[in-house]
Amino acid sequence: MAPPKLIAELLAFVADDNPSDEAFDRQALALFAHQFQHNLPFQRFCQQRGKTLRTVKSWRDIPAVPISAFKALSLSCIPAEQAERTFMTSGTTQAEVKGKHHHPTLAVYDASMIRNFRQRFMGAGDPVRMGILFPDEILLPNSSLAHYLALAVREFGTDASHYLLTQQGLDTVRVMAELERAQQTGEPYALLGASYSFVHLLDELQRLGKTFHLPPGSRVLDTGGFKGQSRELSMAEFYAQLSAKLGISAGHCINMYGMTELSTQFYDAGNATLPSVKSGPHWIRSRVVEPLSGEELPRGQQGILAHCDLANFNSVTTILTEDVGVAVDGGFLLLGRAQGSAAKGCSLAVEEFLQAATA
């Protein structure tokens, strides 16, 4: 178990309404010291890069661990079997090795999700009737998204909130009944789930020749992509179809960017303009870097996104993703998966990490 004092300080930082950059650095360095001591593969990687407790002076100095390393090694400060919950990445094939993220307690993950979701999706709004286009935690106990959506329902959904996916797939009858009900009663309705589930919903609406005009205050939250799960759509086409079929403006269609290997999510402020600017709360910071060297790239230049998430207290705070982005005012633009030389750079970064971590 992580030291209770460390967790208490972290929860206080998440709850802080006006934290300073210095406070972020203090918290990041305290977590770096904890992970350097207790996460041995990470310690070996840092030592090879000359990053130690004496040389790391700020969160920007903490080496970013390639996201694929979570598939190859147990990156945890505690024995994996002591974790309250282990989230696993969703492999597209049965044989694919899944990344694992061990959480000694869900208190930090939950506090991060709840505060951020309230600010970015709920605003000052009252609880809203929610329909969830994703399996529940019983069906997917190791899915961070299933837990995230369960928290959304528990904390912000009305008692009438419900799941719209079963083991048989989309519950079309229930979906249509809920959309009809919202349209007739004028009660705001929120649909949340995986992006590919919305594509299946759009296909059903098209097949049935149905179009709805959901009442003011209604909104959509989608996350993830479509690859391998449904037909491919451009972002512009996806949000245009959602808006046309549900009567919700693209400005009230929010995209959440998250991953199993992080404990904090990023949001945009709607998708009326594409690509939308993504940003996170005060306990996560992002850089755009050259993947192999880790060197931060100038503003406006495309590179690979690296995130320092203080809520990742048990694994590693700083993750090198495989996503291309560019830093802009207010956050970053997410431009897709690494291809070509960028993808090769990410692969080499993984090799370098594994060689150092297992030496």
Side-chain angles (χ1 to χ4, degrees):
M1 183 69 178
K5 182 172 181 284
L6 194 74
I7 292 175
E9 288 174 348
L10 187 49
L11 289 172
F13 186 81
V14 168
D16 194 340
D17 286 328
N18 191 28
S20 64
D21 289 343
E22 291 76 18
F24 184 93
D25 257 341
R26 278 197 305 274
Q27 199 70 51
L29 293 175
L31 289 169
F32 174 70
H34 174 70
Q35 292 165 1
F36 187 88
Q37 181 179 354
H38 297 287
N39 185 340
L40 295 184
F42 177 61
Q43 181 190 93
R44 293 188 193 106
F45 173 60
C46 291
Q47 287 172 331
Q48 191 195 62
R49 288 206 155 191
K51 302 292 188 180
T52 66
L53 302 183
R54 278 192 290 182
T55 61
V56 170
K57 305 293 186 186
S58 115
W59 70 271
R60 292 176 183 275
D61 299 332
I62 299 171
V65 172
I67 199 167
S68 291
F70 280 81
K71 294 181 179 180
L73 296 166
S74 180
L75 294 169
S76 176
C77 291
I78 62 161
E81 62 273 13
Q82 293 179 14
E84 178 183 340
R85 187 78 67 89
T86 295
F87 292 137
M88 297 170 64
T89 56
S90 54
T92 52
T93 67
Q94 205 163 11
E96 186 174 332
V97 177
K98 296 186 175 185
K100 296 181 179 180
H101 194 181
H102 306 291
H103 294 264
T105 170
L106 284 174
V108 176
Y109 182 99
D110 290 1
S112 171
M113 181 277 171
I114 290 166
R115 171 150 197 184
N116 200 15
F117 188 90
R118 179 183 288 116
Q119 292 173 335
R120 301 302 298 272
F121 188 72
M122 296 302 296
D126 295 326
V128 64
R129 189 179 180 107
M130 292 181 175
I132 306 300
L133 291 167
F134 198 73
D136 63 23
E137 287 189 283
I138 295 170
L139 289 173
L140 293 179
N142 297 116
S143 165
S144 58
L145 180 57
H147 182 65
Y148 167 96
L149 291 167
L151 282 174
V153 170
R154 188 189 84 191
E155 297 291 326
F156 304 104
T158 66
D159 291 342
S161 297
H162 44 272
Y163 283 80
L164 296 167
L165 280 189
T166 68
Q167 284 177 299
Q168 286 70 47
L170 183 67
D171 186 345
T172 304
V173 174
R174 179 73 189 269
V175 174
M176 298 306 151
E178 288 294 336
L179 295 174
E180 290 276 8
R181 181 192 178 281
Q183 186 171 261
Q184 289 172 4
T185 64
E187 179 188 341
Y189 188 60
L191 278 169
L192 301 85
S195 308
Y196 64 81
S197 298
F198 281 97
V199 177
H200 294 313
L201 172 59
L202 289 170
D203 289 345
E204 278 298 291
L205 290 168
Q206 182 67 29
R207 184 180 69 82
L208 296 168
K210 293 273 194 179
T211 299
F212 295 91
H213 296 282
L214 296 182
S218 298
R219 66 211 86 152
V220 160
L221 182 140
D222 80 285
T223 185
F226 321 117
K227 201 167 182 62
Q229 302 281 356
S230 66
R231 63 189 173 92
E232 295 282 329
L233 278 177
S234 70
M235 285 291 107
E237 189 181 357
F238 176 66
Y239 291 113
Q241 287 190 24
L242 277 180
S243 186
K245 290 293 184 184
L246 298 176
I248 297 176
S249 73
H252 290 105
C253 295
I254 309 297
N255 178 261
M256 182 272 278
Y257 165 57
M259 57 198 74
T260 301
E261 299 86 355
L262 290 177
S263 304
T264 299
Q265 299 80 35
F266 298 92
Y267 299 89
D268 53 39
N271 282 273
T273 302
L274 294 169
S276 59
V277 178
K278 298 283 192 293
S279 60
H282 64 257
W283 56 92
I284 192 166
R285 302 283 175 94
S286 301
R287 294 180 298 140
V288 177
V289 303
E290 197 285 320
L292 196 52
S293 70
E295 180 185 345
E296 189 164 355
L297 297 172
R299 196 174 181 77
Q301 187 172 329
Q302 288 187 24
I304 302 300
L305 289 164
H307 306 298
C308 179
D309 182 6
L310 299 187
N312 263 21
F313 69 94
N314 180 61
S315 53
V316 291
T317 58
T318 308
I319 305 289
L320 177 70
T321 71
E322 294 171 353
D323 299 319
V324 177
V326 58
V328 296
D329 288 344
F332 58 86
L333 302 179
L334 181 63
L335 303 177
R337 302 289 278 180
Q339 305 285 339
S341 61
K344 186 176 181 183
C346 290
S347 296
L348 290 171
V350 175
E351 285 180 30
E352 182 202 7
F353 177 86
L354 294 178
Q355 285 172 3
T358 57

